[in-house]
Amino acid sequence: MKKTTLGFLVPLLCCNIGFAANEIGITNLRKLTDSGDNIAPSFSPTDNNLIAFTKQKYNGIYTLQLDNNRRSNGAASGQSVVDAPKSGFGFVWSPDGKAIVFRAGETGSTHAGLVDINNKQQTNLSDQSSDISIPVIKDGKVFFTKDGVETQKELLSNAARRSANSGVSVAQNNGRILIGGSQISKDGIACFFPKVSPDSQKISYECMDGLYVYHISTNQTISLGAGSNAQWSSNSAKLVYEQPIDNGHDVVKSDVFIVNADGSNKINLTEGIDQIVRRPSLSPDGKKLAVDVNGDIYVVDLVGVN
Amino acid sequence: MKKLNVLYVAILSVICAPTYASLAGKKIGVDPGHGGCDPGAVNSTYSVRESDANLSTALSLKKYLEADSANVAITRTTDTRFDSIPCPTSDLTKRANFFNSEQVNYTISVHHNASSSSSPNYTVVEVQDYGNGSTDCDATSGKLAYAVVNRLKQSTGLSTGSGCSGKPGVHAQNLAILRETGMPAILTEVSFVSNNTEAQKLQKTDYLNSNGWAIYAGLADFLGQTPISIAGNSGVSRAKSLKLLLDKFGISSANAGFNSYRFGESITIPSDVNSSTSYYDYIVTGYNKGIVSGNSGSFSPDRAVNLAEFLTMIVRAIPIPLNNPSYAEYPYGQGDWYYSYAKAAYNAGIIGNSNYDFFGALDEASMNALLNSAYEYFMGSKSGISIYAKWTQQYADIDVYLYDPVSGNNTEIQYDSNYTVTNMSALTRTNGIVYYGKPSTSWGGNLDYDSYGGNGQQPWSGLGEERITVDSLMLRRPGKYSIIFCHYDWGKNPASATVEWWGIKAGRNINIGGQNFFTPIEKGKCRYTGTLSTN
């Protein structure tokens, strides 16, 4: 892995970069953690100062409040809300920002769960099963496949309850993305990691050959090109994602992009920054961007975004 | 004079058919490194690209994993570097996300190494180095890596690189596929593409396949499973066949007892039997019990067993005597090395009167059918009886006898209050004593393996053992066979020796509670220890 000196951050900390009108860019970078093992930040959908993240190897889920003190000291460690192994990959906030839905365990012994982030009380969304897909939330329901069978749970009062078979399901099953049981991803290539937009009208997903957005109303699939770890903006109009470059062994560079859901107006937010900037997430007001760099969580202000 | 009544026939060893679920229920992430516009290392002298070697090896790995019932998620099956934007934009993160999404149990990334010099060539398996002194060397990944590199050492014939303490060949490095996957993950650097000798080998399909199999076998070792043979799904490895056999007949690998010395012959476990593998104890047990033998210096544990070899193991394990003059002729294979074993198996009903393919790979279904037939013979009314004995007193010379009074002109065994036989000379003059005979050289009413005394063919090891088996065809039914141990007096023998012994009848341990007996015998005395009924 390329050694990150964070030297590039210094100018950003001391002085904002000027942007032309309508130009999108980042400024005022703050380091939130410094333990070197924190990754994959995800803003609360309702709180511009609350971030969830995970640790190396996706073990556990933590939350972090962006108060002024921590911003200046950059020494927050976060609060553990889920300690289950491997629960940190693909976790998703509930729309009201009060809970996080996750999958934990491994093939052969895995389950889906929901945690109330205030009291840390967990609710199992499934029993221990052999195979459970990453849960997604759409139309107020949690969808996942359990041993290949589509399952849905309704999100009510910060807990998920069994739902009648209503709504159109979204799931990943053996490298395929399914909506209502029908495959929307290409044949012959593995696709994975579906993420439903907050308005439940669009789905982003990754395939081995790129990043895609599927528009449910039009049945249209748009290729965004190379990219990984996409996150929706709260108004479902944009996505942020990373575009890592590797040498076949390790990631040697990664830029963060923002793009409209129709694939237009793709902008490299970290162009010219010689750092490995990973796994971006937009705050609900669209004014902050959280990323991980060299194992720590950073937040920058985003300017020029509508 | 006192007579012991019929001994203790305790049926205890309920021999359950073992299950061999192998890798069923496991999902393995296989990642052939590089690909497409990214060839990885290239040996320009021999036009060998790392990406090609990675892919061939990984596809073999996938083949064996699936043959062993594992689910496989593989990142590429063709010479492709995924992504819709040309190199150098790349896809390592996607590969990791794919495995994370699929929730694979283990990630195995297949790579080959390279150096600016053409000299280096060794095998190494990488695990994650998190920096600050934290690595996966001692984590699950490290243990898996160690099992895999031990197999790669064998398949490549190469030495290993250095790295993690106590795990030669395992090295820690900060690599994306290891760091960004949530499950235990390893990256194999099978060998050096930059080495010209190695590059030539990497052009050979068999070599690439054997390395793919080795990675699979390492995973199986790590999971405590016996790998399927390199011949693939249709074949069962010699190691696994021995395990199946021993388990079927309840021959515990922990009960080998005799270590490195068996029936007067020094045993050397071949160098290709790796002590770190899951089958090691079984092979040692097989050698100790004479089920497998030979001094060729290799056991070839991973080669598919054939019918000739497996029948030989079965016949030796039960055991079924060879060359019984009452045997019916088996009409096929006369003159071949395995013939006497095939004939014995045929007469025991284990194989039929057919001209089998004795040298083709034996599939597991056929193997289980043979074992079931053998087990029926072993457990059924046709089975013989065996007495096993061992002792550790130096220079003690113990012989085991079974005495059949009916065959001995109804001469009754006589013994005193210490169960010392008082008419042994008279008994040995009758035809009732089941006595010596080596199965490989002559036919007798029994099989008698003796490490000291008896047939006198053994060097001294400091301990002794003897097994006497009466073939079912020679057993009187109903009959009562008296068990006698004699401790001979050759002058320097110890005054007393204690024989640990156990008996098998119809596949079952006859001893109460399954515990071995310990019988002390004075030098120059024979001791009556009980009578075994053949009813």
Side-chain angles (χ1 to χ4, degrees):
Chain A
M1 183 177 182
K2 188 168 185 175
K3 273 283 183 187
T4 303
T5 62
L6 298 186
F8 83 103
L9 301 176
V10 175
L12 292 178
L13 284 167
C14 68
C15 42
N16 293 347
I17 297 173
F19 293 99
N22 300 323
E23 187 178 354
I24 295 177
I26 57 174
T27 186
N28 190 25
L29 186 142
R30 288 91 77 195
K31 184 179 185 182
L32 302 181
T33 66
D34 63 358
S35 61
D37 62 349
N38 304 306
I39 59 172
S42 176
F43 266 106
S44 159
T46 58
D47 185 341
N48 293 305
N49 288 308
L50 183 60
I51 287 174
F53 63 95
T54 184
K55 297 275 187 180
Q56 279 174 342
K57 304 297 273 187
Y58 296 99
N59 278 327
I61 301 171
Y62 299 77
T63 56
L64 186 62
Q65 197 75 39
L66 311 185
D67 59 62
N68 291 330
N69 183 48
R70 284 186 177 124
R71 273 185 235 167
S72 59
N73 291 341
S77 59
Q79 186 176 40
S80 172
V81 292
V82 177
D83 59 5
K86 306 181 180 80
S87 55
F89 184 82
F91 68 83
V92 56
W93 286 89
S94 64
D96 62 7
K98 294 179 178 176
I100 289 174
V101 173
F102 61 92
R103 175 192 67 177
E106 60 180 320
T107 293
S109 178
T110 179
H111 75 282
L114 175 148
V115 61
D116 183 317
I117 62 162
N118 292 316
N119 61 22
K120 301 179 187 175
Q121 188 172 347
Q122 291 189 25
T123 303
N124 286 337
L125 302 180
S126 74
D127 52 9
Q128 289 286 336
S129 303
S130 291
D131 187 15
I132 285 182
S133 68
I134 296 171
V136 298
I137 296 177
K138 177 175 172 291
D139 298 322
K141 299 182 180 66
V142 182
F143 294 95
F144 54 88
T145 60
K146 176 173 171 284
D147 296 331
V149 177
E150 290 192 7
T151 304
Q152 59 178 286
K153 304 277 182 173
E154 198 153 354
L155 280 167
L156 287 173
S157 302
N158 299 334
R161 298 178 183 170
R162 183 178 297 279
S163 169
N165 286 328
S166 60
V168 179
S169 64
V170 176
Q172 173 192 333
N173 190 0
N174 289 329
R176 299 176 304 150
I177 307 299
L178 307 172
I179 294 185
S182 299
Q183 182 175 341
I184 62 165
S185 57
K186 291 185 291 188
D187 280 327
I189 190 165
C191 298
F192 43 91
F193 218 179
K195 294 185 177 179
V196 179
S197 62
D199 65 4
S200 295
Q201 294 301 305
K202 299 174 275 291
I203 297 161
S204 72
Y205 60 91
E206 294 182 30
C207 294
M208 293 301 291
D209 66 348
L211 187 61
Y212 294 86
V213 174
Y214 177 76
H215 293 252
I216 294 174
S217 60
T218 61
N219 291 327
Q220 186 182 17
T221 300
I222 294 168
S223 171
L224 300 181
S228 297
N229 293 312
Q231 294 267 15
W232 284 98
S233 65
S234 61
N235 63 5
S236 303
K238 294 178 183 294
L239 293 112
V240 287
Y241 63 93
E242 65 174 13
Q243 195 178 88
I245 294 173
D246 65 68
N247 59 9
H249 294 95
D250 205 356
V251 176
V252 295
K253 179 172 173 54
S254 177
D255 282 315
V256 169
F257 287 74
I258 189 166
V259 65
N260 291 339
D262 62 3
S264 65
N265 202 23
K266 185 189 299 183
I267 297 170
N268 183 348
L269 296 174
T270 53
E271 188 169 12
I273 296 176
D274 185 23
Q275 289 298 323
I276 302 171
V277 187
R278 308 293 307 273
R279 292 168 278 253
S281 173
L282 278 171
S283 61
D285 64 4
K287 295 180 177 176
K288 296 193 190 86
L289 182 74
V291 296
D292 71 71
V293 178
N294 205 27
D296 276 309
I297 308 297
Y298 290 77
V299 168
V300 295
D301 293 335
L302 204 56
V303 296
V305 177
N306 296 323
Chain B
M1 189 187 299
K2 194 184 282 184
K3 229 177 186 181
L4 284 182
N5 289 324
V6 173
L7 276 182
Y8 27 69
V9 178
I11 301 171
L12 61 102
S13 50
V14 179
I15 302 173
C16 299
T19 57
Y20 298 95
S22 60
L23 303 187
K26 298 291 183 191
K27 186 183 281 188
I28 313 299
V30 175
D31 172 40
H34 307 286
C37 64
D38 172 16
V42 177
N43 185 308
S44 54
T45 304
Y46 291 97
S47 300
V48 173
R49 306 190 313 165
E50 181 197 350
S51 57
D52 295 334
N54 295 344
L55 181 60
S56 295
T57 305
L59 289 175
S60 291
L61 168 60
K62 175 177 181 283
K63 173 183 70 178
Y64 289 114
L65 288 169
E66 291 177 336
D68 207 7
S69 303
N71 289 321
V72 174
I74 190 165
T75 54
R76 67 182 179 101
T77 55
T78 59
D79 183 23
T80 306
R81 187 74 198 266
F82 286 108
D83 229 322
S84 51
I85 294 177
C87 285
T89 296
S90 45
D91 60 5
L92 274 184
T93 297
K94 278 195 180 53
R95 298 184 192 212
N97 279 353
F98 176 46
F99 291 152
N100 288 327
S101 297
E102 289 292 326
Q103 218 173 11
V104 301
N105 298 103
Y106 304 97
T107 286
I108 301 175
S109 186
V110 179
H111 284 251
H112 287 73
N113 224 329
S115 168
S116 55
S117 164
S118 62
S119 297
N121 192 20
Y122 53 83
T123 187
V124 69
V125 177
E126 302 283 354
V127 297
Q128 177 61 16
D129 183 345
Y130 299 98
N132 301 321
S134 174
T135 72
D136 275 344
C137 285
D138 295 324
T140 301
S141 300
K143 294 168 186 169
L144 170 60
Y146 190 48
V148 168
V149 82
N150 279 329
R151 286 289 190 169
L152 284 173
K153 273 172 59 182
Q154 294 178 323
S155 66
T156 60
L158 299 175
S159 59
T160 59
S162 59
C164 298
S165 175
K167 294 187 179 70
V170 180
H171 183 262
Q173 195 173 351
N174 189 359
L175 298 169
I177 198 72
L178 306 179
R179 183 181 62 250
E180 298 193 8
T181 46
M183 67 296 304
I186 63 172
L187 185 148
T188 64
E189 296 279 14
V190 176
S191 62
F192 276 68
V193 172
S194 49
N195 180 283
N196 286 338
T197 302
E198 185 68 19
Q200 294 173 74
K201 292 169 72 177
L202 291 172
Q203 293 174 307
K204 295 177 179 173
T205 303
D206 285 351
Y207 182 65
L208 296 164
N209 184 65
S210 68
N211 292 339
W213 181 88
I215 298 170
Y216 147 75
L219 175 64
D221 292 341
F222 166 76
L223 294 172
Q225 301 289 335
T226 303
I228 61 171
S229 112
I230 198 168
N233 198 26
S234 62
V236 178
S237 71
R238 281 167 53 82
K240 183 170 183 175
S241 69
L242 185 54
K243 173 176 165 34
L244 289 168
L245 173 64
L246 295 181
D247 284 346
K248 182 74 176 178
F249 289 93
I251 301 172
S252 167
S253 59
N255 199 23
F258 302 126
N259 300 324
S260 74
Y261 198 82
R262 177 193 162 271
F263 305 131
E265 297 170 356
S266 177
I267 298 169
T268 301
I269 303 303
S271 59
D272 63 350
V273 178
N274 190 326
S275 62
S276 66
T277 54
S278 59
Y279 56 70
Y280 179 76
D281 286 344
Y282 289 93
I283 295 177
V284 171
T285 300
Y287 273 93
N288 279 340
K289 293 190 175 299
I291 297 169
V292 292
S293 64
N295 297 311
S296 64
S298 65
F299 176 73
S300 302
D302 304 324
R303 179 173 61 72
V305 72
N306 59 44
L307 178 61
E309 293 168 335
F310 194 57
L311 284 180
T312 301
M313 293 185 200
I314 289 175
V315 168
R316 287 170 171 174
I318 289 179
I320 305 169
L322 306 177
N323 306 320
N324 185 332
S326 67
Y327 280 166
E329 282 299 308
Y330 179 63
Y332 307 104
Q334 289 98 329
D336 283 322
W337 67 265
Y338 63 83
Y339 178 72
S340 57
Y341 295 98
K343 183 177 177 181
Y346 167 63
N347 278 274
I350 297 171
I351 59 172
N353 187 9
S354 299
N355 188 13
Y356 299 97
D357 176 9
F358 279 91
F359 295 107
L362 199 58
D363 63 67
E364 192 159 346
S366 301
M367 181 171 291
N368 283 327
L370 289 169
L371 284 175
N372 288 337
S373 297
Y375 188 64
E376 186 178 344
Y377 170 84
F378 182 63
M379 295 291 288
S381 59
K382 293 187 295 184
S383 179
I385 55 177
S386 296
I387 304 296
Y388 296 81
K390 65 177 181 178
W391 56 95
T392 58
Q393 290 79 14
Q394 193 172 25
Y395 301 119
D397 179 9
I398 308 293
D399 269 334
V400 182
Y401 300 88
L402 290 175
Y403 176 67
D404 172 19
V406 175
S407 301
N409 301 321
N410 294 316
T411 303
E412 289 291 328
I413 183 171
Q414 295 176 5
Y415 47 90
D416 63 16
S417 59
N418 293 320
Y419 304 113
T420 298
V421 179
T422 56
N423 64 337
M424 194 65 196
S425 296
L427 297 180
T428 56
R429 286 194 294 269
T430 74
N431 293 322
I433 286 287
V434 174
Y435 207 52
Y436 307 133
K438 289 206 71 175
S440 61
T441 56
S442 63
W443 166 252
N446 59 83
L447 302 175
D448 175 29
Y449 293 105
D450 189 352
S451 74
Y452 195 66
N455 52 38
Q457 294 185 3
Q458 60 292 316
W460 178 248
S461 69
L463 51 82
E465 62 191 29
E466 179 159 302
R467 180 184 70 194
I468 184 166
T469 294
V470 185
D471 175 45
S472 62
L473 298 176
M474 301 299 289
L475 275 179
R476 180 176 304 285
R477 295 178 190 277
K480 292 181 178 178
Y481 286 79
S482 300
I483 303 167
I484 302 168
F485 295 130
C486 291
H487 180 186
Y488 285 92
D489 183 357
W490 301 104
K492 62 180 180 179
N493 311 58
S496 178
T498 298
V499 177
E500 180 184 358
W501 66 280
W502 62 98
I504 300 288
K505 188 185 81 167
R508 295 182 172 92
N509 191 323
I510 64 172
N511 299 4
I512 296 170
Q515 302 299 311
N516 296 344
F517 292 104
F518 291 86
T519 301
I521 314 170
E522 294 177 38
K523 182 167 63 175
K525 302 286 179 63
C526 293
R527 182 160 174 168
Y528 168 53
T529 57
T531 297
L532 185 62
S533 169
T534 61
N535 293 353

